[in-house]
Amino acid sequence: MKAPTLRGPFDPGGQPSLTIDNHLHLSLFAWNVSSGLSASKAVLSDVERHRDFWKWPNASKLIRAIEDAGFDSQLQYGMWSGYGGETGWNDAGLDFATAATASAAVTERIGIYSTIHVGYNVSPLFLAKLFSDIDHVSGGRLGVNVVAGQNAVDYAQFGLVGPPTQEIRYAIADEMTTALKLLWTSDEPVDFEGEHFQMYGAQVNPRATSRPRPLLICAASSDIGLDYATRQCDALFVTADDNSVAGYQKKAAKIHAMAAEHGRQVRIAAMCYVVMEESDAKARETTEWMRREIDRGAIETWLTRSGHILNSEVQRVSEGVFGDARASSGVMEDPYLGIGKEHYESLGMGMGAYKLFGSYESIADQLIALYEAGVGQFALSFFDPQRGIQQMRDHVLPILRERGYNRILA
């Protein structure tokens, strides 16, 4: 068959089911890379627990533990290169296919959400086959997080000069997504003649086990990214400009309206960094210690490889300047690398994620407030994943259930 379209919106067979009433979809995030979202030398206080939890003997226990605790999915962080520093932030980890397959093999219920970068000249057929087989192994629990990456170092690793412009990156993602959907669902071999991908007589067997297809996820903030995501994906990770509940509510309303224009629905998701203790005061002690230990070298590398030049004068990041341009920006003497104290600390403790810091009661309050504001999925990354999962199981989830949320599903 000839591809009926090259770009979205395109949903052969419809979209996957996205919501359960009064249920906060909880994911364990960034468990597959060293230190997760923690760019703090605090991880060196117990390397096995705080930095090297990604290693499979440890990680397999975490994955089984979230299923037992009542989480809904695991979500991998896609990495091809880390950020170094004294902590070796994200320098090591499990790849998107191995982590997903291994997780599927040791669990029975949770969603297996993997992450791919689509701009490195990897064929849709290759990815469709990998993911169809992972979906088969998991019994139809697969989700795929699509990243239109802008890391120049990663493009170089694949022998490419990049990154391309934002318009091109999302055009590549658009074609890739359409091709994946066709290969996952078509009974016939597919001919696909796009600007960025071509396939002739392409087919995968087994096709995707999920019905109507695997869930598709994207993290987007620009208008171009949101346009792609609302046309093609099912769950959108967003951030609010002021990182407030009201900001998330405003962003959720905007995204739902954009999706509705295409006759689609989406689930709003938030990346959250979690540090919880028995009391708010104790949690403050822990987070203050972590702030004092932020790995400056790792943050500097992150800012460079994320495609930003550091600008000390205006204390913001500028789009479109990459690599070593940072070195001439005059910020090496700035204690916060030119982005201001608040942004610097936000990157060091959670890579800009929403901060869930406090007592068990406070964490439950914040989760419910975000849910009522329109956030349906929470990708939780913990400073101490082993302890964090236990705390969610023993303290936070019981509070949610007492308040009418997240009943135990049959």
Side-chain angles (χ1 to χ4, degrees):
M1 64 171 288
K2 182 178 180 180
T5 184
L6 301 176
R7 306 284 180 88
F10 181 59
D11 289 298
Q15 290 185 255
S17 177
L18 297 177
T19 60
I20 301 172
D21 289 342
N22 293 328
H23 186 85
L24 291 68
H25 183 113
L26 302 176
S27 301
L28 177 65
F29 179 52
W31 60 269
N32 63 306
V33 293
S34 60
S35 301
L37 301 185
S38 303
S40 170
K41 288 176 283 186
V43 302
L44 302 179
S45 64
D46 189 330
V47 169
E48 184 175 358
R49 287 178 69 97
H50 303 322
R51 190 188 70 182
D52 290 346
F53 49 75
W54 65 271
K55 294 183 178 180
W56 188 243
N58 295 326
S60 62
K61 296 175 184 176
L62 296 179
I63 296 302
R64 287 192 292 265
I66 63 167
E67 182 163 80
D68 292 341
F71 281 56
D72 299 277
S73 62
Q74 62 84 14
L75 175 62
Q76 297 146 35
Y77 184 22
M79 288 295 300
W80 291 102
S81 58
Y83 308 111
E86 293 183 50
T87 60
W89 190 28
N90 295 170
D91 281 354
L94 299 175
D95 70 88
F96 71 98
T98 303
T101 307
S103 298
V106 298
T107 58
E108 297 179 354
R109 178 187 57 81
I110 58 170
I112 306 297
Y113 294 173
S114 188
T115 296
I116 57 167
H117 294 77
V118 297
Y120 302 147
N121 283 357
V122 179
S123 165
L125 178 64
F126 177 76
L127 292 175
K129 177 58 177 171
L130 279 181
F131 283 128
S132 288
D133 289 357
I134 295 169
D135 202 29
H136 169 77
V137 170
S138 73
R141 295 183 279 140
L142 180 70
V144 178
N145 179 32
V146 180
V147 177
Q150 63 175 27
N151 188 325
V153 171
D154 286 350
Y155 279 92
Q157 288 192 99
F158 282 88
L160 304 170
V161 176
T165 65
Q166 189 179 60
E167 290 83 357
I168 292 175
R169 296 202 310 271
Y170 279 107
I172 292 170
D174 210 349
E175 283 192 14
M176 172 68 80
T177 306
T178 299
L180 290 175
K181 289 178 179 179
L182 281 167
L183 291 168
W184 283 336
T185 60
S186 175
D187 291 333
E188 302 295 330
V190 173
D191 288 347
F192 188 97
E193 291 190 316
E195 181 180 357
H196 302 284
F197 300 108
Q198 296 79 43
M199 304 182 296
Y200 302 97
Q203 192 172 28
V204 299
N205 191 7
R207 290 183 292 280
T209 301
S210 302
R211 292 293 179 268
R213 56 162 172 79
L215 185 85
L216 287 168
I217 308 164
C218 182
S221 57
S222 68
D223 287 342
I224 292 173
L226 290 175
D227 175 65
Y228 155 74
T230 53
R231 286 185 292 105
Q232 288 278 43
C233 298
D234 309 300
L236 274 70
F237 278 90
V238 301
T239 56
D241 292 338
D242 58 359
N243 222 12
S244 68
V245 172
Y248 275 92
Q249 187 171 31
K250 181 179 179 181
K251 183 66 71 70
K254 174 183 177 179
I255 291 171
H256 284 308
M258 292 179 69
E261 290 179 1
H262 304 299
R264 308 183 76 251
Q265 296 181 339
V266 293
R267 181 168 71 208
I268 306 300
M271 183 174 74
C272 301
Y273 186 64
V274 188
V275 179
M276 62 182 129
E277 301 286 358
E278 292 79 6
S279 67
D280 290 333
K282 178 62 176 174
R284 280 193 297 272
E285 288 181 16
T286 301
T287 55
E288 287 168 6
W289 164 57
M290 294 170 65
R291 285 190 183 96
R292 291 193 300 270
E293 296 294 321
I294 285 176
D295 189 340
R296 177 188 170 93
I299 297 299
E300 183 179 339
T301 304
W302 185 92
L303 287 161
T304 300
R305 293 190 179 183
S306 297
H308 301 301
I309 184 172
L310 305 184
N311 189 323
S312 183
E313 182 178 350
V314 296
Q315 294 194 344
R316 63 181 174 84
V317 292
S318 303
E319 296 287 350
V321 184
F322 302 93
D324 293 334
R326 174 205 56 78
S328 61
S329 63
V331 299
M332 292 302 292
E333 297 79 19
D334 189 311
Y336 303 114
L337 296 174
I339 58 175
K341 182 176 186 291
E342 182 178 355
H343 190 187
Y344 178 84
E345 291 181 348
S346 180
L347 289 175
M349 299 173 62
M351 203 181 286
Y354 187 90
K355 304 298 185 291
L356 289 174
F357 297 165
S359 66
Y360 308 133
E361 193 81 21
S362 294
I363 300 300
D365 288 343
Q366 293 175 71
L367 286 170
I368 291 171
L370 285 168
Y371 177 80
E372 296 298 336
V375 177
Q377 181 172 345
F378 302 84
L380 306 179
S381 179
F382 300 92
F383 167 63
D384 184 344
Q386 179 180 329
R387 183 167 181 245
I389 294 165
Q390 293 171 345
Q391 291 170 314
M392 289 293 295
R393 180 195 65 199
D394 296 340
H395 301 286
V396 178
L397 274 163
I399 294 172
L400 294 179
R401 289 170 185 146
E402 287 174 5
R403 299 187 187 180
Y405 299 91
N406 285 55
R407 65 190 184 279
I408 298 176
L409 302 175

